Amino acid sequence: MITKRIIPCLDVRDGQVVKGVNFEGLRNISSPVELAKFYSRCGADELVFYDITASSDGRKLFTDILCETAKNVFIPLTVGGGINTVADFDRVLKCGADKVSVNSGAIRNPDLIGEAAKLYGDQCVVLSVDVKRVDGVFRVFAKGGRENTGLEAIEWIKRGVANGAGEIVLNSIDTDGVKQGFDLEMLEAVCNAVNVPVIASGGAGKIEDFITLFKTLPKVDAGLAASIFHFGEVAISDLKNEMQKSGIPARI
């Protein structure tokens, strides 16, 4: 059985890792380079680095901090934020990323996914989707959760996979930072719609939330979280030990 991945997420703004609730009220936490070193040492399976204001600010991702972070990470690194063109893919990969996450850029230009997949392979293209319930419908939000695109999320994700996205990161805005568990309903809808790896993001508050996630939705490939790891509320080694005790395969 394939091991389930545990992925810390570095949301970076102005060179610092930040965290908020429901994508709002952001506060500084630490240096992305120092956190990346820590997670690379302590058993994380992969690391995600998001420059969270690049798209809303209309600028390119910070390459100097990314290069320094990549130098200190010895696990797969996914990078996103301000990815609008194939040239942005190229630049980020040359900085040391293993995979590139696209969100608002794909909404503006859906052909970007296919163009990048042809050049770099499906496995390199991650479609990150920020989703919130609006009148009972899963809607896609852009610009770091600030703008309702009107797109229905499941159809958008299916379209992205058909175009060549090799992995989906589903960020539930409804559960982000609330620490009451992952959005199982939303995740199940996505897992039933596509046959590529799905990463759950938004809502983890304790070890049991990951156990519930993987037990309830075996199709989910990975759990992504930020603040519970950043603030030391959950140690990755403890989480993986509990996963194994519960019969969930994990890389120790």
Side-chain angles (χ1 to χ4, degrees):
M1 190 181 286
I2 297 172
T3 58
K4 302 299 185 183
R5 293 171 286 154
I6 300 301
I7 307 175
C9 178
L10 309 181
D11 291 323
V12 180
R13 179 185 66 181
D14 299 330
Q16 287 288 303
V17 176
V18 297
K19 191 60 188 145
V21 177
N22 302 126
F23 284 30
E24 296 178 351
L26 299 176
R27 59 177 170 140
N28 289 349
I29 294 170
S30 182
S31 151
V33 177
E34 292 308 310
L35 271 180
K37 285 180 185 175
F38 170 73
Y39 290 130
S40 191
R41 287 195 308 265
C42 75
D45 295 297
E46 297 187 15
L47 193 63
V48 169
F49 178 114
Y50 287 139
D51 185 340
I52 60 170
T53 54
S55 289
S56 58
D57 292 350
R59 60 167 170 78
K60 294 183 184 297
L61 184 144
F62 290 122
T63 52
D64 53 347
I65 296 165
L66 172 57
C67 287
E68 189 62 27
T69 302
K71 279 183 204 168
N72 289 281
V73 171
F74 304 101
I75 52 178
L77 175 64
T78 298
V79 176
I83 306 296
N84 296 300
T85 65
V86 170
D88 291 329
F89 269 80
D90 186 66
R91 182 168 54 86
V92 167
L93 290 168
K94 283 176 178 170
C95 285
D98 298 285
K99 295 184 273 191
V100 181
S101 176
V102 63
N103 188 328
S104 296
I107 293 166
R108 280 189 292 272
N109 174 22
D111 292 336
L112 175 60
I113 294 172
E115 291 167 5
K118 280 183 188 133
L119 278 172
Y120 305 110
D122 292 11
Q123 81 290 338
C124 182
V125 182
V126 179
L127 178 60
S128 179
V129 191
D130 299 329
V131 183
K132 185 176 183 179
R133 290 167 179 79
V134 179
D135 297 326
V137 178
F138 296 140
R139 295 292 181 194
V140 177
F141 278 65
K143 297 184 178 176
R146 296 172 182 82
E147 180 183 290
N148 184 354
T149 66
L151 292 167
E152 196 280 320
I154 304 304
E155 289 307 311
W156 170 244
I157 290 167
K158 285 165 69 175
R159 181 180 175 186
V161 171
N163 285 344
E167 191 166 76
I168 300 297
V169 175
L170 180 70
N171 310 301
S172 172
I173 297 175
D174 294 325
T175 60
D176 177 73
V178 179
K179 299 186 180 180
Q180 295 298 312
F182 290 97
D183 197 325
L184 300 178
E185 179 192 25
M186 193 183 288
L187 284 159
E188 183 175 28
V190 173
C191 287
N192 289 339
V194 297
N195 289 314
V196 298
V198 174
I199 298 172
S201 172
K206 55 189 182 299
I207 286 175
E208 289 74 17
D209 292 334
F210 289 89
I211 305 297
T212 300
L213 169 70
F214 294 128
K215 286 282 194 184
T216 307
L217 300 175
K219 286 185 179 178
V220 170
D221 286 79
L224 181 150
S227 59
I228 61 166
F229 296 141
H230 300 339
F231 298 132
E233 296 165 38
V234 170
I236 292 175
S237 58
D238 292 343
L239 167 55
K240 288 189 168 185
N241 284 332
E242 288 303 317
M243 286 169 62
Q244 284 207 327
K245 284 180 190 174
S246 299
I248 299 164
R251 181 183 67 86
I252 300 294

